Amino acid sequence: MASIASQVVLHPVTSQSLRVLNTTIGRDKLYRGVQYFARFFAWLLLSRGYKIQAARWDALKSHLGLGRKLLRLGKFMENAQAILRTLSAPGETGERVTMIGRHIGYFGYLLLDNISWAHSIKFFNLQPSTAQKINKRVMQFWFTGIVFSIAHGLLKAGRLATEVKKLQNQTWAEKSAEAERDLKLQDLQLAREAVRYQFIIDLLDVWIPATNIGLVNFNDGVLGLFGLITSLMALRQQWFAAAGKK
């Protein structure tokens, strides 16, 4: 029995999981996945008339959402730094503009989210109408950030596709030059995969704030599934990132 316990505790998957959960973003994505599953499951139970059971999952969703706000305290400064770096960085104008727009959106979202958290724990009290306005602005900034992220992904995907096509059409006389081209193509393909991956996440996530600000009217079941899928996709990224830090 002790041997089985040791194998479980010391298993590489356990060690890898601990490396992921040792990071703030890893824990956040795990909590987010559970939060959106709870949102979906509460909707499912409620739609079938199980009000008491649905209330339990709805409470879990709410408390995880509040807990995740704590993990995001001060995170808006990362976006402030990213805005300044992008302003001075070289690159395609369209990609730089959309990336700046993305970071401005997330800066506003995270800053107001911190204020909303302070109000929710009664660190200071806002008028109900003011709190409601702030919560709406949070969703508007989040929506704006995702829309700019989608636009950035489209522009970057187009540029990378052009670069790949250009390299594939070139002919090389020397084998060393051809090998160098293959390495560049491999790097470009990896970049394209990363862009496509983030694009899928954005396309699913955008409906959450879009619903909250009234642009669409998806129910909690749909939004819960979208959030669960994107959380698992982001957690997968953290899993591979942690594997590279061994």
Side-chain angles (χ1 to χ4, degrees):
M1 199 67 181
S3 176
I4 295 175
S6 297
Q7 289 179 8
V8 172
V9 172
L10 300 176
H11 194 278
V13 173
T14 304
S15 300
Q16 177 75 352
S17 300
L18 291 174
R19 278 192 292 271
V20 173
L21 296 178
N22 198 38
T23 64
T24 301
I25 191 168
R27 291 194 300 274
D28 178 62
K29 297 309 176 185
L30 177 62
Y31 299 160
R32 187 179 190 271
V34 177
Q35 176 190 351
Y36 278 97
F37 172 78
R39 183 172 185 172
F40 161 75
F41 199 54
W43 170 85
L44 182 65
L45 290 171
L46 191 60
S47 67
R48 298 189 177 186
Y50 300 105
K51 293 183 180 180
I52 297 176
Q53 294 85 343
R56 183 183 301 121
W57 286 92
D58 189 63
L60 175 62
K61 176 204 73 175
S62 299
H63 284 287
L64 282 172
L66 185 61
R68 289 183 57 237
K69 288 178 183 288
L70 181 60
L71 297 178
R72 296 195 293 266
L73 280 180
K75 194 173 174 60
F76 61 89
M77 287 304 299
E78 294 180 11
N79 296 101
Q81 290 183 339
I83 292 169
L84 296 179
R85 292 193 187 102
T86 307
L87 283 171
S88 59
E92 296 290 330
T93 302
E95 291 181 35
R96 291 174 63 236
V97 168
T98 50
M99 181 55 71
I100 290 170
R102 176 187 186 275
H103 286 304
I104 290 175
Y106 276 98
F107 174 83
Y109 158 56
L110 292 168
L111 177 61
L112 292 179
D113 185 66
N114 287 176
I115 297 173
S116 174
W117 172 81
H119 169 70
S120 65
I121 65 168
K122 302 188 186 305
F123 184 73
F124 58 78
N125 292 319
L126 299 172
Q127 293 294 327
S129 59
T130 303
Q132 188 176 4
K133 287 180 182 178
I134 288 177
N135 288 332
K136 186 175 182 179
R137 293 287 181 270
V138 167
M139 291 297 120
Q140 289 173 335
F141 272 114
W142 186 17
F143 176 77
T144 301
I146 297 177
V147 168
F148 272 109
S149 184
I150 290 172
H152 175 78
L154 288 172
L155 292 173
K156 188 171 182 179
R159 175 178 61 81
L160 292 174
T162 301
E163 291 181 11
V164 167
K165 188 175 181 180
K166 184 178 178 181
L167 279 176
Q168 289 175 336
N169 291 336
Q170 289 179 348
T171 56
W172 305 85
E174 298 180 2
K175 288 187 176 180
S176 59
E178 188 175 351
E180 184 180 349
R181 183 200 65 173
D182 291 341
L183 285 175
K184 289 181 179 179
L185 281 173
Q186 185 178 2
D187 290 340
L188 287 172
Q189 293 293 357
L190 289 174
R192 292 179 73 186
E193 289 176 11
V195 169
R196 281 195 294 264
Y197 199 84
Q198 183 60 47
F199 188 72
I200 293 171
I201 291 176
D202 290 335
L203 278 182
L204 293 175
D205 271 344
V206 73
W207 304 110
I208 301 172
T211 297
N212 289 331
I213 62 179
L215 293 179
V216 293
N217 188 28
F218 289 168
N219 61 47
D220 278 352
V222 173
L223 298 180
L225 284 177
F226 284 173
L228 174 60
I229 292 169
T230 56
S231 298
L232 293 176
M233 291 177 70
L235 191 59
R236 177 177 177 270
Q237 289 177 314
Q238 292 306 307
W239 181 271
F240 287 124
K245 294 179 181 179
K246 285 199 238 180

